[in-house]
Amino acid sequence: MTLDGGWFVRMSDLQRGRPGYAERDVTDGMRYIPARVPGCVHSDLMRAGLLDDPRVGTNVLKARWVEEMIWSYRCEFDRPTEWGDGPGARAWLVFEQIDGVGEVVLNGQKLARHANSFLPLRVEVTEQLREHGNVLAVHLESGLYHVSDKPAEGWCHDNARDALLHKRHWLRKVQSQGSWDWAPRLMNVGLGLVRLEWTRAEVRVDYMAVIPRVSDELDRGHVTIRVWIENLGLCDLDVRLQMDLKDPEGHVAASCEIEVTLRPGMNRTELQIEATSPRLWWPIGQGEQCLYEVRGRMTVLSKSISERRSSDRLLPNEAESRQACGEIGFGGKRFGFRHIWIDQSEHQEGGRLFVLHVNGRAIFCRGANLVPADMLMAEVDRSRYERLVGRAIEANFNFLRVWGGGLYEHDDFYDLCDRHGILVWQDFVYACGKYPLNDEAFHAGAVEEARYQLRRLSHHPSLVMWCGNNENETAIVTGWAGMSRGQIAPDYGFYHLTLSKLCREEDGTRPYQPSSPFSPDGRHPGDELSGDQHPWSVGIDDMDFRKYRGMRCRFANEGGTLGPTSLPTMLACLPEGQRYVQSFAWQLHDNSVDSWQEPSLVDAMTRIWLGMDCRAMTIEEYVYWGGLLQAEGLRAYIDRFRGRMFDSAAAVFWMFNDCWPATRSWSIVDHALRRTPSFHPVRRAFSPVSVVFLEEGDQLLIHGVNDTQDEIRLEHRFGIVRFPGDYEVDETAEVRLRPNQATRIGVIERSKMDDPTRQIAFSMLKRRGTVVANNRWIGPMYLEVEWPEAQVRVSVSDGRARFESEVFALGVCIDLSGECEDGGVSDNLFDLFPGVPHEVPWSHPKPPTVLFVGNSMRKKRST
């Protein structure tokens, strides 16, 4: 019975209000507000008109009192009518999530205290349950009181001094709730789904984990099914377990059954199913996402008196319970057969490869880091996950890294990635600091948390990698998390030994590494020639993204460039009177990297690159110019690593999405799920067929990138454009792009570019006269370029808008809203090459308006 109605919540600051009153049979209803479960207190307060939405304007500052209070949830319920008559029933309350530190009280009796939002709580209530008028109270606090006596100095990054208050490293909840550079502090308090479970049977199925494997030859599938069953009686009990394996069409493809004897208490049993010639699950763009399903049945077998245990007596009504039990159905987990392997063999140029193989095929990982989808996680539903995954697919992703300062995502997220073929790298939730895993109680909870999450997620084919934490290994080596350089942290052994062992025991089908970034062979975790990398030498202290062109990262897993969100989201951050760069509301919604140095390097980016002062811009102007620079930075990051395929095997940037409305962020999808200005340039950079420039000595090497499994024949046009609009070098060749490779298809001698301020290199790939990919190489800072004045012509015909220019036009912008639905745009911030038209779908009779062209920066500087 789901307890999802009839909830109320009241507050106490331990001076006003008394939590214990919520436990009484009769209480003062005036002191409560209606609550939703699942849900969180912030949302309840908003619905009651007592709190303004913390995501709007400066309201987050007015919401911080919520995390300082004790919140008492209360729900009254009757025993279900299906309970039946007579003794013999057993009952449990199950809390799928308690976000905060909670104490559970039923009918005045304290049942449990829980302090881990990543671990559900099950507590037996057989003795406490009444037929009518049950009063369930849950006292919750954000965790501030729970950790008030714990040490904090020197445990987290020096840029996060607020850790001295919230001490997030002691709290097992979303770590970014304590604030991050891209998120303000908002400690959630709430409950996940609550239900009452009961049975008159002598046995219940507690959990089922499914671990699929496929042979190296890919011709045999093997499914290990682990079932935890609780024998509720005092005697041994014989049961029959039957498992059906259903193919992607829902037909039973294989079955197995075993008979086992269950000892009193919890039992773990294991079944095996074999599948011949299984249909494989593939990442998006590589094949089908074939999903099988396992369902189980359990039947209690009768036993003779001689087989009873030494107690020689049954529980009350035990015989009737056995007969009433009959067949119990369970399971229903969908999974896929796929083989995962990471090639970390030695590289001929030094170091090691880091290439993910799925079903024996090397996969170049295109994607970004996923952070919590909202600052109020209880408001994230399947629909929001569907839109996020949809945006990832639209941006040509095949990979998302679930970052270690967030959470183990909801089942809906992994289910959607399974269905759509998005690969998932999963960090355990530890990030940017050290954790008290030398504390016995904390360590025990962490082990239990890891076991639960491993069992919960092991069947998902999209999940391809476990990782112990985010950047904690870097903290040890560099000393930036309050540690002496080289000091062994109290959590080091947990990541290197404990989690590694748990992953082998509970899963064993995926690679595990103790941290990200991490390099094997004792190398520095940031070593670019082995393991995975977070190349942050560009993007925070250095805004010259041309330096990406020299990087050799084997698996770039985090790194990025700051930029603005969409214009509507930007304006939602800024109340009237504060709609200018560095207003008070701007600073609150800005990324905190802006304040790490003064004067602001983030503000200086437009001056460094464009010769323009962002503080003199309107909000609309900054959304374009700042967005153009973020797009250029991300394109440089992506191009560098895609062009080195598979010497580099990933272009995974920071970050995909936002948890609240921001003025500047790392993301390409903002909190409102609108596309930021950099979205479409990233989408084009990640196109399965692309063209990139690589610098090598005095040459520009042109590589055609083909992520598909087919050889592609195209026409390659490449050369040099001299401003205002002449093709100074213009060559054409037929090229073959080999499957799943980056193929060198052209070379331009840099000596031919005698005046880089008036010249750019270009490359276009065409199929039957239509451009399928293009790119350009610009040498100097953009403020040094003598950009020609561009006049863009726009026409509409047959449902398409056509853009043309007689000169090279940089970053043509036709939209700042970031919308695509309801007649929005499907491409933006695109370049025009002299005499080469560019078309986008367009459903309106009136042509789109060109809002900005990057060439105008020269005119802007002069004014």
Side-chain angles (χ1 to χ4, degrees):
M1 182 174 75
T2 301
L3 302 179
D4 57 0
W7 285 91
F8 296 87
V9 67
R10 64 183 287 172
M11 73 164 192
S12 169
D13 63 2
L14 301 180
Q15 177 71 278
R16 291 164 181 81
R18 296 292 183 269
Y21 292 164
E23 305 167 9
R24 296 179 173 181
D25 287 353
V26 179
T27 190
D28 185 352
M30 288 290 289
R31 298 181 184 272
Y32 296 79
I33 62 171
R36 290 184 184 175
V37 174
C40 69
V41 169
H42 292 87
S43 300
D44 296 331
L45 291 168
M46 282 190 281
R47 282 187 289 270
L50 300 174
L51 186 72
D52 294 328
D53 191 333
R55 295 161 290 204
V56 176
T58 58
N59 294 337
V60 69
L61 299 177
K62 298 188 292 185
R64 287 185 173 168
W65 62 272
V66 177
E67 66 195 44
E68 300 171 4
M69 299 292 175
I70 308 296
W71 296 95
S72 296
Y73 281 86
R74 176 186 170 94
C75 173
E76 298 183 29
F77 64 95
D78 293 333
R79 205 169 63 189
T81 55
E82 300 90 343
W83 184 272
D85 297 323
R90 299 278 292 276
W92 300 263
L93 280 171
V94 180
F95 298 81
E96 290 195 355
Q97 183 186 47
I98 295 178
D99 194 359
V101 178
E103 183 177 68
V104 178
V105 182
L106 180 63
N107 297 328
Q109 296 189 45
K110 292 179 174 56
L111 300 179
R113 183 174 174 83
H114 195 69
N116 191 326
S117 68
F118 305 133
L119 189 64
L121 172 66
R122 170 184 290 273
V123 57
E124 185 165 4
V125 295
T126 302
E127 299 299 323
Q128 293 80 19
L129 203 62
R130 302 191 294 223
E131 184 174 358
H132 298 290
N134 292 282
V135 176
L136 173 60
V138 184
H139 306 300
L140 263 177
E141 58 106 351
S142 65
L144 297 184
Y145 293 95
H146 179 65
V147 299
S148 60
D149 62 339
K150 303 296 185 183
E153 186 70 51
W155 287 77
C156 294
H157 200 293
D158 288 342
N159 288 320
R161 301 298 292 171
D162 54 351
L164 298 177
L165 171 65
H166 55 68
K167 304 177 183 178
R168 65 166 178 86
H169 54 286
W170 283 96
L171 295 173
R172 297 313 296 147
K173 63 187 299 163
V174 174
Q175 296 290 277
S176 58
Q177 289 179 7
S179 85
W180 227 267
D181 61 288
W182 41 268
R185 189 180 84 240
L186 195 76
M187 306 292 279
N188 289 195
V189 183
L191 293 176
L193 189 69
V194 182
R195 64 183 183 270
L196 177 72
E197 294 184 0
W198 74 93
T199 183
R200 289 184 171 276
E202 195 175 9
V203 63
R204 69 174 191 88
V205 177
D206 184 73
Y207 202 78
M208 182 180 84
V210 176
I211 306 169
R213 291 178 172 84
V214 65
S215 64
D216 292 344
E217 296 78 16
L218 308 179
D219 59 349
R220 298 186 312 280
H222 182 92
V223 188
T224 299
I225 305 141
R226 293 171 180 163
V227 187
W228 285 262
I229 307 170
E230 187 174 8
N231 178 355
L232 302 171
L234 299 177
C235 301
D236 288 357
L237 193 64
D238 288 343
V239 299
R240 178 185 297 116
L241 292 173
Q242 299 167 288
M243 292 290 172
D244 291 334
L245 173 64
K246 295 187 176 182
D247 65 20
E249 285 70 43
H251 304 129
V252 176
S255 298
C256 71
E257 71 173 55
I258 61 170
E259 293 186 5
V260 296
T261 298
L262 303 177
R263 308 298 183 190
M266 191 65 70
N267 297 258
R268 191 188 95 165
T269 189
E270 197 167 282
L271 298 90
Q272 313 290 334
I273 296 182
E274 301 290 335
T276 303
S277 301
R279 293 161 58 184
L280 301 177
W281 182 96
W282 288 95
I284 188 170
Q286 302 293 321
E288 290 185 273
Q289 290 77 53
C290 296
L291 295 175
Y292 289 73
E293 185 179 21
V294 163
R295 288 190 173 274
R297 304 182 303 281
M298 178 175 64
T299 306
V300 177
L301 305 176
S302 60
K303 299 189 66 165
S304 65
I305 294 177
S306 62
E307 293 176 297
R308 296 178 190 170
R309 298 190 68 191
S310 58
S311 61
D312 199 31
R313 69 184 175 86
L314 297 173
L315 287 172
N317 214 35
E318 190 172 2
E320 291 84 353
S321 296
R322 282 188 181 173
Q323 191 164 354
C325 174
E327 187 175 272
I328 300 172
F330 61 93
K333 288 198 172 183
R334 295 172 67 85
F335 67 92
F337 288 107
R338 87 286 179 271
H339 186 279
I340 300 296
W341 171 61
I342 293 181
D343 180 3
Q344 295 197 70
S345 58
E346 292 186 1
H347 193 283
Q348 60 185 4
E349 297 175 0
R352 295 179 178 274
L353 293 166
F354 194 102
V355 183
L356 174 67
H357 288 249
V358 180
N359 301 330
R361 184 181 300 167
I363 304 295
F364 188 93
C365 297
R366 312 184 308 265
N369 285 255
L370 182 80
V371 300
D374 200 286
M375 64 195 306
L376 299 175
M377 277 307 299
E379 296 198 356
V380 178
D381 57 11
R382 186 178 179 90
S383 173
R384 189 167 182 85
Y385 280 123
E386 285 175 341
R387 294 183 67 192
L388 273 172
V389 172
R391 289 283 186 264
I393 295 169
E394 182 189 358
N396 289 313
F397 284 19
N398 64 5
F399 183 96
L400 285 168
R401 175 184 175 226
V402 181
W403 168 74
L407 69 156
Y408 311 95
E409 292 288 351
H410 192 277
D411 291 339
D412 287 336
F413 168 75
Y414 302 99
D415 175 62
L416 289 163
C417 290
D418 290 347
R419 292 172 183 270
H420 294 289
I422 299 296
L423 301 169
V424 176
W425 170 304
Q426 178 70 56
D427 284 358
F428 287 90
V429 182
Y430 304 91
C432 297
K434 58 185 179 184
Y435 287 78
L437 284 150
N438 55 346
D439 179 274
E440 187 174 354
F442 191 92
H443 182 274
V447 169
E448 189 178 3
E449 169 193 316
R451 285 196 188 278
Y452 170 74
Q453 296 296 343
L454 285 162
R455 293 169 184 175
R456 179 174 78 95
L457 301 176
S458 61
H459 63 284
H460 288 288
S462 58
L463 202 162
V464 295
M465 183 76 178
W466 294 109
C467 179
N469 65 71
N470 174 76
E471 296 184 350
N472 293 3
E473 191 95 349
T474 304
I476 294 173
V477 173
T478 62
W480 57 250
M483 298 175 58
S484 301
R485 188 182 299 269
Q487 174 189 354
I488 298 300
D491 49 356
Y492 183 87
F494 182 75
Y495 310 130
H496 281 260
L497 300 176
T498 306
L499 281 180
S500 177
K501 180 174 181 286
L502 289 171
C503 286
R504 289 194 303 271
E505 291 175 353
E506 301 292 347
D507 183 355
T509 67
R510 297 168 177 84
Y512 168 83
Q513 70 177 38
S515 187
S516 177
F518 179 78
S519 294
D521 303 331
R523 292 173 178 261
H524 188 288
D527 185 282
E528 68 175 357
L529 294 183
S530 60
D532 72 316
Q533 294 78 34
H534 296 188
W536 281 114
S537 58
V538 175
I540 295 178
D541 295 325
D542 189 339
M543 300 301 176
D544 188 354
F545 46 74
R546 294 175 301 176
K547 293 180 180 177
Y548 286 133
R549 298 172 180 175
M551 291 185 178
R552 299 183 293 170
C553 300
R554 296 295 186 218
F555 195 98
N557 214 1
E558 185 179 313
T561 303
L562 281 166
T565 53
S566 68
L567 180 59
T569 299
M570 180 84 79
L571 295 177
C573 299
L574 306 174
E576 292 290 344
Q578 295 198 52
R579 291 185 170 174
Y580 57 91
V581 177
Q582 293 299 349
S583 68
F584 181 82
W586 174 287
Q587 294 175 55
L588 183 63
H589 285 265
D590 199 359
N591 190 281
S592 74
V593 170
D594 169 70
S595 62
W596 289 6
Q597 297 185 37
E598 194 168 310
S600 167
L601 265 180
V602 183
D603 277 359
M605 190 171 181
T606 54
R607 186 179 299 111
I608 293 168
W609 272 97
L610 309 175
M612 300 164 63
D613 183 0
C614 70
R615 298 189 183 190
M617 296 178 187
T618 66
I619 296 300
E620 290 81 358
E621 289 172 334
Y622 182 74
V623 170
Y624 171 70
W625 292 109
L628 176 66
L629 289 180
Q630 184 186 33
E632 294 293 288
L634 291 176
R635 179 87 201 222
Y637 181 95
I638 294 167
D639 282 356
R640 174 57 181 173
F641 303 123
R642 289 198 78 191
R644 284 171 47 80
M645 179 183 182
F646 283 94
D647 293 324
S648 298
V652 179
F653 65 88
W654 184 267
M655 61 189 192
F656 176 48
N657 62 307
D658 278 324
C659 73
W660 87 311
T663 50
R664 279 186 289 216
S665 181
W666 308 101
S667 65
I668 65 167
V669 175
D670 66 26
H671 176 259
L673 303 184
R674 299 185 181 103
R675 301 156 185 82
T676 73
S678 61
F679 178 91
H680 286 293
V682 167
R683 174 186 60 79
R684 294 193 301 270
F686 274 149
S687 176
V689 177
S690 184
V691 61
V692 302
F693 285 92
L694 297 182
E695 296 180 10
E696 187 172 296
D698 294 330
Q699 294 181 321
L700 295 178
L701 308 181
I702 306 173
H703 285 198
V705 180
N706 178 11
D707 274 348
T708 76
Q709 295 309 301
D710 300 315
E711 182 177 273
I712 300 175
R713 298 188 179 191
L714 298 168
E715 176 187 329
H716 183 214
R717 181 184 180 189
F718 64 102
I720 298 172
V721 173
R722 181 180 288 273
F723 297 154
D726 297 328
Y727 286 98
E728 189 172 55
V729 176
D730 195 356
E731 300 183 28
T732 303
E734 296 293 324
V735 296
R736 295 182 180 183
L737 301 188
R738 294 186 292 272
N740 206 31
Q741 291 185 45
T743 304
R744 184 182 299 183
I745 57 175
V747 177
I748 295 176
E749 299 295 334
R750 294 177 70 173
S751 60
K752 294 182 179 180
M753 302 185 71
D754 57 347
D755 186 3
T757 65
R758 295 176 180 272
Q759 293 170 299
I760 64 169
F762 76 93
S763 173
M764 301 178 201
L765 294 175
K766 295 183 179 182
R767 180 186 287 117
R768 293 185 291 275
T770 300
V771 176
V772 296
N774 63 49
N775 209 339
R776 65 324 195 249
W777 181 89
I778 302 169
M781 288 283 194
Y782 294 176
L783 60 81
E784 300 170 2
V785 178
E786 297 294 328
W787 299 101
E789 185 174 345
Q791 299 293 330
V792 178
R793 301 188 304 275
V794 188
S795 58
V796 173
S797 177
D798 298 327
R800 300 186 70 80
R802 183 182 180 96
F803 300 83
E804 297 175 276
S805 174
E806 295 305 315
V807 302
F808 175 79
L810 173 72
V812 177
C813 175
I814 59 174
D815 175 68
L816 292 176
S817 72
E819 302 288 359
C820 182
E821 296 80 8
D822 302 323
V825 304
S826 59
D827 198 8
N828 201 23
L829 264 68
F830 49 82
D831 298 334
L832 295 177
F833 293 86
V836 180
H838 179 74
E839 294 186 354
V840 299
W842 191 255
S843 59
H844 301 288
K846 184 179 178 180
T849 300
V850 175
L851 303 176
F852 293 92
V853 179
N855 301 42
S856 65
M857 73 179 78
R858 187 179 179 191
K859 184 176 181 180
K860 289 283 185 181
R861 289 200 303 273
S862 67
T863 58

